[in-house]
Amino acid sequence: MNSNSLVLAIANNKGGVGKTSTALNLACAFAGTRRKVLYIDLDPQGSASVSILRTRPISIISSGNALIQGSSLVPCIVPYQLAKFDLIPASDDLTAFCIKKADDEHKEHCLKEALKSLRLIYDIIIIDCPPALNLLTINALCAADELVIPTTCDYFAVEGLGSLMRAFESLKRKGLSTVHLMGIVCTIYNQGEPLSQKIAKDLKSNMGQLLFNTVIPYCSQISEAPSVGKPVILYDKNAIGSKAYLSLAAEILSRYQQQHQQ
Ligand SMILES: Nc1ncnc2c1ncn2[C@@H]1O[C@H](COP(=O)(O)OP(=O)(O)OP(=O)(O)O)[C@@H](O)[C@H]1O
Ligand SMILES: [Mg+2]
């Protein structure tokens, strides 16, 4: 195994909190540091895959099928030349994976097994999870070394963090996962909104060091970028959202290096 390989899951069972935007822009930022990066779209909605490939991926070997069969994910890899990272697109079979593997004894570890050979090739593997605490997210939490949770600063999103934390702790307690919670990042943050400010402050006092210093602000270019098939970092490098994602990437690498020096 590439001893320096890092598998990073971007997860939150709440929908629309910026998981895909975060995962895509982190992949782009890490690729910009000459690291070899793989982005796995584990969400059957396939938002990132559609944005990058400009069409729903049609391939004979889909990631869902490979996970069901226990075969290699290598034939599913597509290069994303513009951003200099590779992609494993989502597929409808990812939904089938949840159904077909439901009673499998090793159902939580299919992705972890599949990533063993990919860890030899890539420095960083980023997993974009679906907005559900289903078998796909569980597989991501069992395959990953580190977990990053994006959350918006609204009441329901912060309330919803509890169920993800409980699932995360339960997997660790059962010895199914060794993933480490690297941090929580506030996304789509509207600085002008008193409620967002209050929730961000409460998150800081409850989560302490777990909250990343970087906040991803509301940034219209982030929402425009997918329509032209680019992460915002490539769409408009001067946008506040691009600078924030570059800063988050640097913070993640710094936290990771600090952990490994200890
Ligand atoms: N910082 C931001 N500023 C403005 N819009 C944003 C920002 N981050 C994300 N968005 C937009 O919000 C929507 C949801 O973002 P995104 O798809 O990244 O979230 P998600 O958590 O992956 O959603 P899902 O749960 O459906 O997978 C998208 O339209 C995206 O372009
Ligand atoms: Mg998403």
Side-chain angles (χ1 to χ4, degrees):
M1 192 189 294
N2 173 359
S3 59
N4 296 318
S5 75
L6 163 63
V7 179
L8 192 64
I10 311 295
N12 190 333
N13 44 314
K14 177 92 171 64
V17 293
K19 291 180 290 295
T20 298
S21 306
T22 301
L24 261 184
N25 282 289
L26 286 178
C28 189
F30 292 141
T33 64
R34 296 176 175 270
R35 286 173 170 85
K36 204 158 166 36
V37 178
L38 175 68
Y39 176 101
I40 302 180
D41 187 353
L42 206 62
D43 182 355
Q45 291 181 106
S47 320
S49 309
V50 173
S51 161
I52 292 171
L53 303 172
R54 322 294 294 141
T55 165
R56 268 201 93 73
I58 306 162
S59 72
I60 297 164
I61 303 157
S62 73
S63 55
N65 217 342
L67 288 173
I68 292 166
Q69 307 292 333
S71 59
S72 170
L73 283 173
V74 171
C76 312
I77 297 172
V78 180
Y80 177 29
Q81 263 135 3
L82 192 71
K84 299 189 175 59
F85 64 80
D86 289 346
L87 162 80
I88 294 187
S91 62
D92 292 337
D93 293 333
L94 286 170
T95 306
F97 166 81
C98 293
I99 299 162
K100 291 197 175 163
K101 287 282 175 180
D103 299 321
D104 195 292
E105 197 188 341
H106 304 294
K107 59 179 181 287
E108 295 92 352
H109 290 130
C110 303
L111 183 61
K112 184 179 177 145
E113 277 304 306
L115 291 193
K116 278 185 180 162
S117 58
L118 297 181
R119 278 180 182 265
L120 298 171
I121 308 172
Y122 293 96
D123 300 312
I124 303 187
I125 299 174
I126 297 186
I127 310 171
D128 181 10
C129 293
L133 270 177
N134 60 13
L135 190 56
L136 290 164
T137 300
I138 302 289
N139 262 262
L141 294 180
C142 291
D145 304 311
E146 299 287 340
L147 166 64
V148 169
I149 304 176
T151 182
T152 47
C153 283
D154 62 89
Y155 177 74
F156 289 129
V158 173
E159 268 297 300
L161 283 178
S163 52
L164 177 59
M165 300 292 248
R166 281 191 292 279
F168 160 80
E169 275 152 19
S170 155
L171 287 173
K172 294 193 61 139
R173 221 176 21 249
K174 290 178 188 158
L176 290 168
S177 168
T178 54
V179 69
H180 168 254
L181 174 55
M182 182 181 266
I184 298 169
V185 56
C186 291
T187 54
I188 326 184
Y189 182 67
N190 188 343
Q191 209 165 0
E193 246 181 52
L195 185 61
S196 302
Q197 283 177 13
K198 183 187 176 308
I199 291 178
K201 217 169 141 198
D202 290 350
L203 264 178
K204 184 72 197 164
S205 56
N206 291 332
M207 300 293 177
Q209 294 297 315
L210 266 183
L211 200 69
F212 283 103
N213 294 323
T214 308
V215 169
I216 309 298
Y218 175 87
C219 166
S220 58
Q221 290 94 329
I222 292 181
S223 53
E224 287 161 25
S227 65
V228 292
K230 288 181 181 174
V232 71
I233 291 176
L234 296 182
Y235 175 66
D236 181 352
K237 69 176 190 324
N238 295 317
I240 50 167
S242 302
K243 290 179 182 161
Y245 274 125
L246 288 170
S247 158
L248 180 65
E251 213 182 331
I252 287 174
L253 290 179
S254 152
R255 281 192 184 203
Y256 188 63
Q257 277 152 11
Q258 272 174 23
Q259 269 162 229
H260 284 257
Q261 276 162 11
Q262 284 165 6

